């Protein structure tokens, strides 16, 4: 029988989880805190569930030094659901701000307010998307589906800078962000790490710095809790849990409280419908989720518990270093893999440009993408217990996902195999 200790899993998601967390999970699934029932069976309204929520929030806040003026939400939408949620919520806030400003100018003349607001929405509503890979492309397509392509500004398309393929991030002087002088976009959206294409932003974009920056929404699904993040630079951060944080089932949203009532008021559903804009489902409505402490509907508390255990483990492991400790480990593992690939340029080729190589998803080709050679590479890796290395179906090749639960020893085994295979290729 193959034991868990015999394999190292490099799959891109669902991803490996720390073995101690899984061992403890097996216990609490049967009997949680000697209650005689398992964790999946307790009420999401119970004191135990609220305690799990509080501890998980605190672990994440500690790891990332999240300021007090931010809230943490848990939703069941996954990262893809947040493609829609960010549009619904931030467009609604933008519309209401425009309506309030017009109302100040024209007074109680409702017809005139609506007439002018309709014109403003038609002419000025923009959502800026930095398309650097498959997931940001899907996010921009969802925005177009929800509010119309005329309102979606592709401020950067990495394919135009890389012969029609993803693998680079265009320099910021090539971006066409919506001018802030005109009120700015309802949001600027980017995917911090592109899981499919192995592209990661090396740092926060300079173009989005400053107090007057437009609302920034970042998909961090595959590099969440892997490096330091200045949360104060963002209005919204989200990520699916199934990469570095936990098992499939929840998305985590970090949101600036100024975007929630009573600080911000979303446009009413009637107003949005009058303007031919989408009204989002209540389970994706950030004010509703925040007001109900993520318990508006039945939250999968077990999934939150797993995430809390993973993050609490990092807090305990790295102490004062917090997420900086995990960043050091992640960087070291990525360095070892990339150096092994670069030692054998006649056999391996890293796909993305060196300036934007992901630390989390290391994408490369074998012998120029020779199908037989890549099948042989994968078969040989599997024999050595190195699993999950096949690239995404849309791009092929090899992908080693260097998530937090992948051990340094597991990476060293992969490095040894890379060297061994290169000698026989």
């Amino acid at each position: 029988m193959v034991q868990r200790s015999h394999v190292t899993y490099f799959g891109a998601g669902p991803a490996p989880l720390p073995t101690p967390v899984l061992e403890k999970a097996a216990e609490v699934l049967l009997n949680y805190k000697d209650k005689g029932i398992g964790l999946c069976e307790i009420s999401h309204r119970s004191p135990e569930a609220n305690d799990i929520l509080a501890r998980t929030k605190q672990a994440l806040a500690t790891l990332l030094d999240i300021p007090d003026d931010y809230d943490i939400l848990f939703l069941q939408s996954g990262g893809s659901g947040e493609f829609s949620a960010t549009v619904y919520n931030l467009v609604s806030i933008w519309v209401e701000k425009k309506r309030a400003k017009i109302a100040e100018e024209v007074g109680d003349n409702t017809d005139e307010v609506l007439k002018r607001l309709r014109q403003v929405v038609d002419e000025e509503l923009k959502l800026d998307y930095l398309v650097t890979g498959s997931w940001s492309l899907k996010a921009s397509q969802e925005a177009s589906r929800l509010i119309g392509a005329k309102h979606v500004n592709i401020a950067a398309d990495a394919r135009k800078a890389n012969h029609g393929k993803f693998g680079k991030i265009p320099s910021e002087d090539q971006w066409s962000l919506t001018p802030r002088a005109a009120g700015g976009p309802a949001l600027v959206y980017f995917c911090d790490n592109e899981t499919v294409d192995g592209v990661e932003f090396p740092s926060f974009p300079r173009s989005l710095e400053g107090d007057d920056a437009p609302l920034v929404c970042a998909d961090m699904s595959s590099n969440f809790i892997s490096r330091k993040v200045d949360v104060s630079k963002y209005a919204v951060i989200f990520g699916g849990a199934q990469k570095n944080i936990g098992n499939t089932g929840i998305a985590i949203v970090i949101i600036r409280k100024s975007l929630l009532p009573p600080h911000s008021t979303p446009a009413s559903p009637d107003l949005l419908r009058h303007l031919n804009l989408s009204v989002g489902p209540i389970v994706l409505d950030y004010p509703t989720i925040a007001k109900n402490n993520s318990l508006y509907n039945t939250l999968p508390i077990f999934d939150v518990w797993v995430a809390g255990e993973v993050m609490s483990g990092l807090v305990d492991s790295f102490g004062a270093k917090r997420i900086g400790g995990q960043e050091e480990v992640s960087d070291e593992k990525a360095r070892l893999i990339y150096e092994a690939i670069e030692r054998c340029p006649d056999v391996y080729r890293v796909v993305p440009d060196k300036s934007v190589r992901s630390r989390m998803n290391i994408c490369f080709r074998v012998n120029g993408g020779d199908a037989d050679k890549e099948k042989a590479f994968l078969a040989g890796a599997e024999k050595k217990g190195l699993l999950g290395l096949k690239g995404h179906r849309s791009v092929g090749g090899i992908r080693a996902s260097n998530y937090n639960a992948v051990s340094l020893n597991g990476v060293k085994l992969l490095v040894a195999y890379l060297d061994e295979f290169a000698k026989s290729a």
Side-chain angles (χ1 to χ4, degrees):
M1 178 183 293
V2 178
Q3 300 295 320
R4 183 176 180 85
S5 59
H6 297 163
V7 304
T8 303
Y9 186 61
F10 293 94
L17 286 163
T19 297
V21 171
L22 291 177
E23 291 172 339
K24 189 173 180 181
E27 297 176 7
V28 302
L29 277 172
L30 289 173
N31 191 344
Y32 184 66
K33 290 192 171 181
D34 290 325
K35 293 178 66 68
I37 60 173
L39 183 52
C40 286
E41 299 164 300
I42 68 170
S43 169
H44 63 296
R45 308 287 185 194
S46 65
E48 291 84 2
N50 277 279
D51 179 61
I52 289 169
L53 272 168
R55 288 191 292 108
T56 303
K57 285 185 177 182
Q58 185 56 54
L60 180 56
T62 299
L63 276 177
L64 295 185
D65 288 317
I66 298 176
D68 292 338
D69 58 339
Y70 282 77
D71 203 349
I72 299 171
L73 313 178
F74 299 93
L75 298 91
Q76 296 174 62
S77 59
S80 295
E82 292 309 303
F83 296 168
S84 307
T86 51
V87 173
Y88 289 134
N89 287 276
L90 299 184
V91 166
S92 180
I93 291 171
W94 186 93
V95 168
E96 176 57 24
K97 285 182 178 179
K98 295 294 184 181
R99 187 210 62 79
K101 183 178 180 181
I102 293 170
E104 286 181 2
E105 298 172 358
V106 304
D108 296 330
N109 189 334
T110 303
D111 290 340
E112 181 64 19
V113 170
L114 289 176
K115 177 183 175 181
R116 290 181 57 179
L117 180 59
R118 192 178 297 110
Q119 181 179 358
V120 166
V121 168
D122 185 62
E123 296 177 357
E124 297 181 17
L125 175 59
K126 294 292 181 185
L127 284 68
D128 287 357
Y129 281 78
L130 305 177
V131 176
T132 56
S134 300
W135 289 111
S136 52
L137 176 61
K138 288 186 177 182
S140 70
Q141 291 168 338
E142 175 66 356
S144 294
R145 188 183 72 87
L146 294 176
I147 63 170
K150 66 175 288 185
H151 296 301
V152 176
N153 172 40
I154 304 301
D157 186 338
R159 293 169 296 183
K160 295 180 180 180
N162 195 41
H163 310 291
K165 295 183 178 181
F166 293 121
K168 290 185 178 180
I169 297 177
S171 61
E172 294 187 34
D173 60 6
Q174 297 177 22
W175 297 0
S176 57
L177 296 167
T178 299
R180 298 179 191 178
L187 63 87
V188 179
Y189 183 106
F190 68 98
C191 180
D192 205 46
N193 185 80
E194 293 280 3
T195 317
V196 172
D197 306 283
V199 170
E200 185 175 29
F201 277 81
S203 60
F204 187 83
R206 295 187 306 277
S207 300
L208 306 182
E209 295 273 7
D211 294 337
D212 61 341
L215 298 179
V216 174
C217 171
D219 175 359
M220 293 188 181
S221 294
S222 51
N223 66 353
F224 226 151
I225 65 168
S226 72
R227 67 178 181 181
K228 295 178 182 178
V229 175
D230 186 349
V231 173
S232 67
K233 294 180 183 292
Y234 301 84
V236 178
I237 293 171
F238 74 82
Q242 69 276 13
K243 311 289 187 179
N244 277 320
I245 297 178
N247 54 298
T248 304
I250 56 171
I252 299 175
V253 174
I254 303 171
I255 183 170
R256 194 176 288 152
K257 289 180 180 177
S258 62
L259 297 177
L260 299 169
H263 311 288
S264 289
T265 303
S268 71
D270 286 342
L271 178 58
L272 292 172
R273 280 190 287 266
H274 188 84
L275 298 168
N276 294 319
L277 293 172
S278 297
V279 176
I282 196 71
V283 292
L284 296 182
D285 184 65
Y286 292 157
T288 299
I289 302 304
K291 179 182 177 181
N292 289 277
N293 189 31
S294 298
L295 295 172
Y296 174 77
N297 58 334
T298 306
L299 185 68
I301 291 298
F302 174 74
D303 300 341
V304 179
W305 178 89
V306 171
E309 289 295 309
V310 171
M311 293 188 288
S312 295
L314 295 179
V315 172
D316 293 341
S317 295
F318 297 116
K321 282 187 175 183
R322 301 188 180 184
I323 204 60
Q326 180 60 54
E327 182 174 23
E328 291 175 3
V329 176
S330 297
D331 289 353
E332 174 65 7
K333 291 189 296 176
R335 182 189 66 80
L336 290 172
I337 297 173
Y338 278 120
E339 285 184 353
I341 294 170
E342 290 176 331
R343 277 198 297 270
C344 308
D346 294 336
V347 179
Y348 306 121
R349 176 182 60 84
V350 177
V351 175
D353 187 77
K354 193 169 185 176
S355 62
V356 295
R357 288 178 181 175
S358 170
R359 301 163 306 116
M360 294 287 102
N361 307 104
I362 299 167
C363 298
F364 61 99
R365 305 308 299 253
V366 177
N367 288 98
D370 181 281
D372 291 335
K373 289 289 187 181
E374 290 186 338
K375 287 181 181 179
F377 178 90
L378 292 170
E382 187 169 351
K383 289 179 180 178
K384 292 182 176 295
L386 305 171
L387 309 181
L389 287 164
K390 187 175 182 179
H392 191 271
R393 63 187 181 278
S394 65
V395 295
I398 313 298
R399 175 176 57 178
S401 292
N402 175 37
Y403 296 137
N404 291 355
V406 175
S407 69
L408 181 58
N409 184 61
V411 165
K412 289 179 178 178
L413 291 174
L414 174 59
V415 167
Y417 176 64
L418 285 164
D419 289 336
E420 177 186 320
F421 183 87
K423 291 176 181 177
S424 61

